Amino acid sequence: SAVISQKPSRDICQRGTSLTIQCQVDSQVTMMFWYRQQPGQSLTLIATANQGSEATYESGFVIDKFPISRPNLTFSTLTVSNMSPEDSSIYLCSVRVGSTLNTEAFFGQGTRLTVV
Amino acid sequence: GESVGLHLPTLSVQEGDNSIINCAYSNSASDYFIWYKQESGKGPQFIIDIRSNMDKRQGQRVTVLLNKTVKHLSLQIAATQPGDSAVYFCAETRPTGFQKLVFGTGTRLLVSP
């Protein structure tokens, strides 16, 4: 299993500013994932972050808007840049553990972002 | 605070009833599936998983059924309790692309005492 801590748990930000969300895992993991969950909707994958390489972004998400850092095997950050009210969402960090394929993914408690 | 699942399909049941939550997945090549439970203000919590070489798997009070022919997944909860009230998501893993999970639309389960 894995225990994931996200900071901040929630924030209210002014449009045009940026917010960096931190994700700390209690064990070393190869892949970390960042998801967005808009109000009343499901989770949408933003990007996959591997340590030591550039993050891989899903269609509709770009590095300039959502830069990601992955400095080591237990930590990652997601920045939401130049925010607008449409960025108001829950942002979730996730990891998959284990050396075999097809293992469950663990999630942080999420960061609830409101842009005003 | 705002709740997850305000606009999601809702299943309302009485305490003690059995609940069945359905999910249609999109990719016939997906080979691993997970059901998650998400309570308000929390991240998704693992319930049960199933691999594509199986059609049924049972856990404590929960059963997952997989029908690959029609790309359908269901979660059955026996003797539903008020604590089961939450939003439930199915997720699939495709065999390519960093083992990423793709989530379904979700169903909100409301259990009345």
Side-chain angles (χ1 to χ4, degrees), chain A residues 10 31 33 35 37 39-43 45 48 50 56 58 90 92 96 100-110 112, chain B residues 2-8 31-32 34 36 38 40-44 46 51 89 93 98-106:
Chain A
R10 60 176 64 226
M31 290 182 287
F33 305 88
Y35 287 84
Q37 187 173 28
Q41 297 190 28
S42 185
L43 284 75
L45 183 63
T48 301
N50 289 341
T56 302
E58 297 298 305
I90 300 171
L92 294 138
R96 302 188 81 162
T100 59
L101 297 177
N102 293 338
T103 59
E104 68 177 280
F106 296 91
F107 287 83
Q109 81 279 13
R112 189 181 298 271
Chain B
E2 183 178 5
S3 297
V4 170
L6 288 176
H7 309 295
L8 296 172
D31 56 0
Y32 179 61
I34 305 177
Y36 282 94
Q38 188 176 29
S40 183
K42 297 182 180 180
F46 173 90
R51 289 171 168 70
F89 295 98
T93 292
F98 300 116
Q99 287 280 295
K100 61 186 180 184
L101 278 174
V102 177
F103 280 77
T105 54

Side-chain angles (χ1 to χ4, degrees), chain A residues 18-21 63-69 77-81:
Chain A
S18 298
L19 176 71
T20 295
I21 301 167
I63 187 171
D64 289 347
K65 176 67 176 178
F66 297 101
I68 288 171
S69 78
T77 67
L78 170 76
T79 298
V80 186
S81 302

Side-chain angles (χ1 to χ4, degrees), chain A residues 54-94:
Chain A
E54 291 280 325
T56 302
Y57 289 82
E58 297 298 305
S59 176
F61 298 96
V62 295
I63 187 171
D64 289 347
K65 176 67 176 178
F66 297 101
I68 288 171
S69 78
R70 183 79 203 275
N72 57 54
L73 292 173
T74 64
F75 188 79
S76 178
T77 67
L78 170 76
T79 298
V80 186
S81 302
N82 188 24
M83 289 183 285
S84 66
E86 291 71 34
D87 294 320
S88 297
S89 287
I90 300 171
Y91 292 86
L92 294 138
C93 171
S94 174

